[in-house]
């Protein structure tokens, strides 16, 4: 029998105590069971006996479950014994163990000189920390295998919003070194989960969805790029057949780690199915001396009735502890690229201020020797030939126009053509006696080396102090090839953490060839992500749609570019470009000195709209509708008190029919009456209609129930058009 400590609110579940497990439905007692329940989610653990706890239920709440019900659930979960199988059927633990008869992916992969490769842990202690009725709870498990010389600490934390996050610590308690090749955690999903959704992608097309049947076998997504990657699985979702944004149960997992990682879903011929993940270790990357330990990154899991509910749980978690307004950013990249000239940039500062920008970010090209992407990385000194007085004249102009100042950096990289590389070639990350192939004319700076780490920290600290920098656009423009990823990732985390500790008000954006480092590990120390280098309105609609499964809109940088998109060559209306950016952290990446007066006047209206609404938009509930025509997308944000909402109707392509039919608008109070009307400046999209839909002229007043269940007749939009709808209490 496992030993438990039921910890009072605010206590420490790791402190240790004696007594039998007595988990009640509130998390504090029931003959070997633990039941945590919060925010519409239940987690039931079976902690009876010596084996690691197993998950009996993770999903919809069980508010009326009694002690007897939990015992019955455990009994009802046991399968029959069938011919040629284990006398006692295997049950998968949070860290799956082959020694129990589990034939899927092992939770622990490792050995001690060819021995101790199959541990069987015995639970010694279970600590339960119940934080309160609306705050979730935490379970801490201590287990060991004396024969293998290993101990295992598990932490399962059901957060206030209903996200389950898991972490494990493996310690070498034996003699001699232990080589750890992998440690993953997994959660069971029910037989109703018959479909999988995950993501792939490439530069400028990140988070491209792919769906398939959840059939027998393993669907394994390994990220080996040394960063999260444009092709990362991002979130792996198992769900009921045909699940969508508003329908069907889903169970999703995300690995919060910015290095190599594994996410997987596996179904055995027995019918058992799991989803899980963890860090992907390279052979020999982690070797534990006696007494040493390895800690996994957090693995996050969320259940929902539809993808929107799952996403809302992640949003609540990510928003926790974050606050403050999201200023309108003007970034120089697509305006001037590497062509840094004080006169041109000063004119751009003035134009940005006139349309309402609040933060001016100087992008790549400001430092010593930087005229293109072939030289200068690592030499983090202001280029004296371009900036004889440093950046001070530009920064002073930025502040005089009422904006704060931000700067682009790429601290983890080095060009071979740089003073730093010539002075310290040994600081370039290399395997054995060779360097990996260059990418974008650059190599990786080995931050595992203390002297390289201290140099970069010192240069960043000096720049932030000298120019009172409010914001760093922190880029990372190549994969790590032939690299020691585990320690490099930890060093990057330490670097960001230390810089933030020295400059508490500093904000950092995670940019990585666009959106190649989007994960909850990097977001523990950054303030937003750059979702993609592509700001084409149509491409960004898709990228932001799927990025928002994990992140709330205000953490997704989204900028308005010029009419002709840099990455696709398409020409699009300002309403589409700005209406797309409105549902993110709004910014501008456009040479406004070349824009017409009419364009700047309209852009000013969009900026004013963003400022007027960001207070509630950035606390609201993201809502998407499942429309039968894939060419027509509807999404929006409903305020926290459901007194207003902002939605956009977007024609992604030509529709299948002459009339698109009704669009349902979910998420509002069904009993409340609302007025729905187009909102300027997104109220005049191009349309094929001879006369518009009658309700568009003056708006219409209907109940939230009517909007969700019946909907409104949508206008027949031309492709690549956006209509903005404001919904307010009538």
């Amino acid at each position: 029998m496992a030993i438990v400590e039921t910890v009072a609110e605010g206590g420490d579940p790791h402190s240790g105590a004696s007594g039998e497990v007595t988990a009640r439905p509130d998390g504090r007692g029931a003959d070997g069971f633990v039941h945590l329940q919060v925010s519409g989610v239940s987690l039931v653990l079976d902690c009876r006996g010596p084996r690691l706890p197993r998950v009996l239920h993770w999903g919809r709440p069980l508010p009326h479950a009694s002690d007897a019900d939990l015992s019955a659930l455990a009994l009802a979960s046991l399968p029959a014994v069938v011919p040629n199988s284990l006398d006692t059927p295997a049950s998968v633990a949070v860290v799956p163990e082959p020694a129990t008869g589990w034939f899927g992916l092992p939770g622990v992969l490792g050995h001690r000189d060819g021995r101790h490769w199959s541990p069987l842990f015995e639970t010694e202690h279970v600590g339960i920390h119940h934080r309160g009725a609306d705050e979730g709870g935490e379970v801490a498990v201590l287990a060991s295998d004396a024969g293998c010389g290993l101990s295992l600490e598990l932490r399962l934390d059901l957060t206030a919003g209903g996200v389950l996050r898991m972490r494990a610590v493996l310690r070498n308690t034996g003699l001699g070194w232990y080589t750890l090749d992998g440690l993953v955690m997994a959660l069971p999903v029910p037989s109703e989960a018959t479909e999988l959704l995950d993501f792939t992608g490439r530069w400028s097309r990140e988070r491209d969805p792919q769906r398939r049947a959840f059939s027998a076998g393993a669907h394994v997504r390994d990220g080996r790029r040394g960063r999260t990657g444009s092709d990362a699985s991002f979130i792996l979702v198992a769900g009921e057949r045909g699940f969508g944004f508003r329908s069907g149960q889903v169970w999703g997992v995300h690995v919060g780690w910015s290095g190599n990682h594994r996410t997987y879903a596996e179904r055995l011929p027995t019918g058992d199915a799991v989803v899980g993940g963890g860090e992907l270790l390279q052979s020999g990357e982690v070797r534990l001396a006696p007494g040493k330990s390895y800690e996994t990154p957090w693995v996050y899991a969320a259940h929902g009735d539809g993808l929107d509910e799952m996403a809302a749980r992640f949003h609540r978690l990510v928003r926790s502890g974050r606050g403050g307004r999201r200023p309108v950013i003007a970034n120089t990249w697509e305006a001037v690229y590497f062509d840094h000239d004080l006169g041109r940039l000063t004119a751009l500062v003035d134009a940005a201020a006139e349309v309402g920008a609040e933060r001016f970010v100087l992008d790549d090209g400001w430092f010593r020797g930087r005229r293109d992407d072939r030289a200068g990385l690592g030499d983090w000194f202001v280029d004296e030939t371009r900036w004889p007085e440093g950046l001070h004249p530009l920064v002073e102009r930025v502040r005089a126009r009422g904006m704060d100042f931000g700067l682009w950096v790429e601290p983890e990289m080095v060009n071979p053509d740089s003073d730093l590389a010539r002075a310290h070639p040994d600081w370039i990350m290399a395997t054995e006696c060779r360097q990996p192939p260059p990418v974008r004319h650059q190599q990786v700076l080995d931050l595992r080396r203390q002297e390289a780490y201290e140099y970069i920290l010192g240069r960043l600290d000096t720049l932030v102090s000298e120019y009172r920098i409010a914001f760093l656009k922190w880029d990372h423009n190549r994969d790590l090839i032939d690299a020691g990823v585990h320690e490099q990732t930890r060093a990057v985390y330490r670097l960001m953490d230390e810089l933030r500790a020295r400059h508490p008000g500093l904000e950092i954006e995670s940019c990585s060839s666009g959106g190649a480092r989007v994960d909850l590990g990097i977001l523990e120390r950054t303030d937003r992500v750059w979702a993609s280098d592509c700001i084409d309105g149509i491409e960004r609609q898709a990228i932001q749609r799927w990025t928002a499964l994990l992140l709330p809109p205000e953490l997704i940088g989204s900028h308005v570019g010029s009419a002709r998109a840099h990455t696709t060559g398409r020409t699009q209306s300002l309403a589409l470009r700005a209406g797309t950016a409105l549902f993110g952290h709004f910014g501008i990446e456009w040479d406004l000195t070349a824009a017409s007066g009419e364009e700047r006047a309209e852009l000013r209206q969009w900026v004013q709209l963003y400022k007027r609404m960001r207070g509630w938009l950035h606390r609201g509930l993201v809502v998407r509708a499942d429309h039968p025509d894939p060419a027509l997308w509807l999404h929006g944000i409903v305020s926290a008190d459901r007194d207003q909402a902002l939605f956009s109707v977007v024609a992604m392509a030509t529709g299948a029919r002459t009339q698109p039919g009704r669009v349902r608008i979910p998420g509002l109070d069904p009993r409340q009456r609302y007025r729905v009307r187009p909102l300027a400046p997104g109220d005049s999209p191009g349309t094929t209609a001879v006369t518009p839909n009658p309700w568009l002229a003056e708006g219409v007043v209907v109940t939230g129930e009517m909007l969700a269940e019946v909907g409104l007749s949508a206008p027949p939009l031309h492709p690549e058009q956006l209509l903005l709808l404001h919904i307010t209490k009538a």
Side-chain angles (χ1 to χ4, degrees), residues 430-442:
T431 300
E432 305 300 336
C433 298
R434 65 177 185 275
Q435 288 187 3
V439 178
R440 204 172 178 260
H441 315 291
Q442 65 192 56

Side-chain angles (χ1 to χ4, degrees), residues 659-684:
Q659 294 285 352
R662 294 171 176 161
V663 290
R664 296 174 176 175
I665 303 178
L668 294 155
D669 183 343
R671 295 165 294 183
Q672 176 65 47
R673 297 182 68 80
Y674 294 95
R675 180 177 297 278
V676 186
R677 53 190 162 190
L679 181 65
D683 57 343
S684 303

Side-chain angles (χ1 to χ4, degrees), residues 388-514:
E389 299 178 67
L391 298 177
H392 294 291
L394 179 67
V395 174
E396 289 168 7
R397 185 60 166 255
V398 168
R399 293 209 172 91
R401 295 307 307 263
M403 296 180 285
D404 63 31
F405 181 70
L407 193 66
W408 179 95
V409 291
E410 193 174 1
E412 300 156 66
M413 301 295 157
V414 59
N415 285 122
D417 184 4
S418 66
D419 293 341
L420 180 68
R422 285 184 283 271
H424 299 285
D426 53 321
W427 289 9
I428 295 175
M429 184 174 284
T431 300
E432 305 300 336
C433 298
R434 65 177 185 275
Q435 288 187 3
V439 178
R440 204 172 178 260
H441 315 291
Q442 65 192 56
Q443 294 283 2
V444 180
L445 189 65
D446 192 349
L447 295 177
R448 301 172 301 175
R449 300 180 67 106
Q450 188 62 26
E451 58 270 38
Y453 175 95
E454 293 293 344
Y455 165 78
I456 291 296
L457 176 61
R459 290 308 310 145
L460 294 176
D461 185 21
T462 298
L463 286 165
V464 172
S465 298
E466 180 177 356
Y467 295 107
R468 290 183 291 139
I469 292 170
F471 175 88
L472 287 179
K473 179 180 177 180
W474 189 301
D475 215 335
H476 180 284
N477 275 310
R478 63 157 290 166
D479 296 327
L480 274 62
I481 302 169
D482 237 9
V485 174
H486 173 73
E487 289 298 334
Q488 178 78 358
T489 305
R490 290 172 47 145
V492 171
Y493 285 174
R494 288 197 306 274
L495 179 62
M496 288 183 171
D497 291 343
E498 177 59 26
L499 190 63
R500 294 286 291 267
R502 295 185 183 187
H503 304 277
L506 178 67
E507 295 181 22
I508 299 177
E509 174 186 63
S510 172
C511 175
S512 185
S513 306

Side-chain angles (χ1 to χ4, degrees), residues 201-208 230 331 333-334 473 475 477 509-518 528-536 538-544 547 551 555-560 566-568 589:
R202 58 171 175 81
W203 175 75
S204 80
R205 191 183 170 90
E206 295 87 345
R207 285 165 292 289
D208 193 11
S230 300
N331 181 278
W333 178 242
E334 289 197 13
K473 179 180 177 180
D475 215 335
N477 275 310
E509 174 186 63
S510 172
C511 175
S512 185
S513 306
R517 189 153 67 179
V518 177
R528 77 171 206 168
V529 301
W530 182 231
S532 178
D533 282 341
C534 179
I535 52 176
D536 172 297
I538 288 296
E539 298 296 325
R540 263 307 185 107
Q541 282 283 329
I543 292 166
Q544 291 173 204
T547 304
L551 303 184
L555 268 65
I556 303 172
S558 187
H559 293 178
V560 182
H566 164 82
T567 53
T568 66
E589 198 154 333

Side-chain angles (χ1 to χ4, degrees), residues 657-660 685-691 715-719:
R657 297 178 294 276
T658 305
Q659 294 285 352
T687 173
T688 63
V690 177
T691 59
L717 301 177
H718 284 307

